[in-house]
Amino acid sequence: MRAPLYSEVPDEILSPAVLADPQSLYRRLRQTAPIARIGDTGAHLVTSWALVEEALGRQEDFSANLTGVVLRGPAGSPVLFPMPGTGAVDAIATADDPEHAAHRAVLQPQLTPTRVLRMEASVRRWVDVSLDGLLAAGQGDWTALAERIPALAIASLLGLPDSDVDHFRTWSMMGGDMLAGDIDDARLRFLGEETRRMSAYLADHLARADASTADRPDATLLATLARAVEQGVIPREAAVGIAIVLFGAAGESTAALIGSSLLLLARDADLAERLRRDPTLIPRFVEEAVRLEPPFNFHYRAVRRACRLGGYDLEPGDRLMLSWASANRDPSAVEEPDTLRLDRRHPKNHMSFGRGLHFCIGVHLARLETRIVVERTLARTRRLALDPAKPVVHAKSIFIRRPERLPLVSEAA
């Protein structure tokens, strides 16, 4: 029998106020109900650092497989939309061991700090090209830069042609839409069609990848995946699934981080000027930006067996929503959690890139791209500010925290 509910969060989690600013809800739940059931969905929002960390260490109880997502139902209340627990969707972030370990072992050599650092010159060139147009105009929507850079980076890593970058930008943003919590039938049909196009496109390029080049220093990820398939390490469907997941993991999440970083700079001229004077502080700024505004508010876990978390009974088929965004601002784990501080003793002590076995495999690339965008933006501007005539708009999503429109005004240096 279930223990009494700590709290229920019915329609509130999908309300416009919470979608625009979830931190007020997270703050209240950390204090009153660190594990809170969402209506009758069987999903539970976990908001404290201690409980999130505990859940991450209990893989025997909680699976990373994406078996269901919370959506707004026809009556307006949250419902759980079931998803298959097997197939291409279970790759990297949503796979359990031993599959997760196999996927990670295939990709890890291509995403080491040394390998990623070789991309610095290319990323710098892409950023400068994007800045040319924005600075010449003096105003514009800077999400164009935030989305374009990760799309080009993932294309380069996989070995895909730059000429298809517009498709990549679209595909990179789709995963968040599926998990946003509020999506209509027309958008679902569009996402289904685009997912099929992306899958066919990646399968075609995987089939044409030269597995014999996988040991070269400049090997593409598709060549690496092709060799893993050829050697029987992973099946072909898993290789395509990994490539699909990389679009969202390396695309939308980094676009969200870049956008949030630019927004923080535009809101605080003194901070921007401090970083201009001392660019060595920029890596610390990036860590604070990703801590305060993690690209993903949470990730799902599926309950494997009857167990307890935080004194609350869970049953097989329940889901957890492990909130990185809330844990990062838990005052029991982070000093002055709502303040951007560049002097933290342990600046990387946050959960925005995950934790434990599922720690983000693309973390070095995300940090590199964001650092370079901040460096080049500050070096090439003397002023960056919000456009007073146009509001910033965040994606209407319980899952992703991403500026969807970022109108800024700038003055070139």
Side-chain angles (χ1 to χ4, degrees), residues 18-358:
V18 171
L19 292 180
D21 178 19
Q23 288 298 338
S24 296
L25 173 64
Y26 297 156
R27 188 177 303 113
R28 173 163 57 83
L29 292 180
R30 282 196 305 271
Q31 296 170 352
T32 63
I35 175 168
R37 182 182 173 92
I38 300 175
D40 295 323
T41 63
H44 311 267
L45 185 61
V46 184
T47 51
S48 75
W49 179 287
L51 288 178
V52 170
E53 190 167 52
E54 179 184 343
L56 290 171
R58 292 170 54 183
Q59 294 185 70
E60 70 280 5
D61 291 328
F62 309 123
S63 168
N65 290 171
L66 188 61
T67 61
V69 298
V70 172
L71 297 176
R72 189 189 303 278
S77 298
V79 298
L80 192 86
F81 180 77
M83 299 177 70
T86 58
V89 71
D90 295 327
I92 304 296
T94 60
D96 293 322
D97 284 341
E99 290 81 10
H100 171 260
H103 299 172
R104 199 172 184 93
V106 170
L107 294 181
Q108 191 72 62
Q110 297 293 351
L111 292 167
T112 62
T114 301
R115 172 70 174 85
V116 166
L117 198 58
R118 294 194 194 114
M119 296 184 64
E120 179 154 1
S122 295
V123 174
R124 194 173 298 273
R125 183 175 67 255
W126 299 330
V127 171
D128 278 329
V129 169
S130 293
L131 284 172
D132 287 343
L134 289 166
L135 297 181
Q139 60 182 8
D141 185 353
W142 283 56
T143 58
L145 180 154
E147 293 177 6
R148 185 175 179 82
I149 303 309
L152 286 166
I154 192 60
S156 177
L157 276 172
L158 285 167
L160 301 171
D162 290 357
S163 57
D164 291 339
V165 68
D166 288 336
H167 290 306
F168 305 153
R169 282 183 62 184
T170 298
W171 294 341
S172 293
M173 300 299 123
M174 294 194 313
D177 278 1
M178 292 291 290
L179 300 173
D182 195 356
I183 187 169
D184 59 31
D185 289 342
R187 184 64 179 170
L188 270 175
R189 285 194 298 272
F190 170 79
L191 293 176
E193 292 167 2
E194 284 298 315
T195 299
R196 284 189 289 274
R197 287 181 62 190
M198 174 172 57
S199 180
Y201 176 92
L202 291 171
D204 177 60
H205 280 274
L206 176 65
R208 289 191 274 147
D210 186 352
S212 69
T213 65
D215 285 326
R216 290 180 2 191
D218 61 346
T220 68
L221 281 178
L222 282 178
T224 302
L225 290 169
R227 183 175 67 175
V229 172
E230 188 177 274
Q231 294 178 342
V233 176
I234 56 174
R236 181 169 296 275
E237 311 82 69
V240 175
I242 289 169
I244 290 172
V245 169
L246 286 174
F247 267 97
E252 184 169 28
S253 62
T254 307
L257 174 54
I258 290 172
S260 294
S261 298
L262 292 169
L263 179 55
L264 287 169
L265 295 174
R267 283 176 169 165
D268 191 337
D270 291 339
L271 172 64
E273 190 54 38
R274 183 181 177 188
L275 295 176
R276 283 192 187 94
R277 291 195 307 267
D278 187 359
T280 64
L281 292 173
I282 289 175
R284 284 180 168 268
F285 164 74
V286 171
E287 295 304 323
E288 280 292 270
V290 77
R291 181 185 68 81
L292 289 166
E293 296 285 8
F296 300 127
N297 284 324
F298 64 87
H299 274 102
Y300 285 99
R301 291 294 186 269
V303 178
R304 296 177 185 266
R305 62 188 185 184
C307 61
R308 292 171 69 85
L309 178 67
Y312 179 57
D313 291 332
L314 299 170
E315 298 177 353
D318 283 354
R319 276 80 172 181
L320 302 180
M321 300 159 72
L322 304 182
S323 178
W324 323 121
S326 177
N328 284 346
R329 299 203 190 199
D330 188 337
S332 70
V334 181
E335 185 180 0
E336 294 185 76
D338 295 323
T339 302
L340 192 156
R341 286 181 45 178
L342 301 178
D343 63 346
R344 295 193 182 276
R345 184 176 179 183
H346 302 292
K348 295 180 180 179
N349 186 33
H350 56 74
M351 292 194 179
S352 297
F353 292 118
R355 213 165 179 83
L357 290 179
H358 280 276

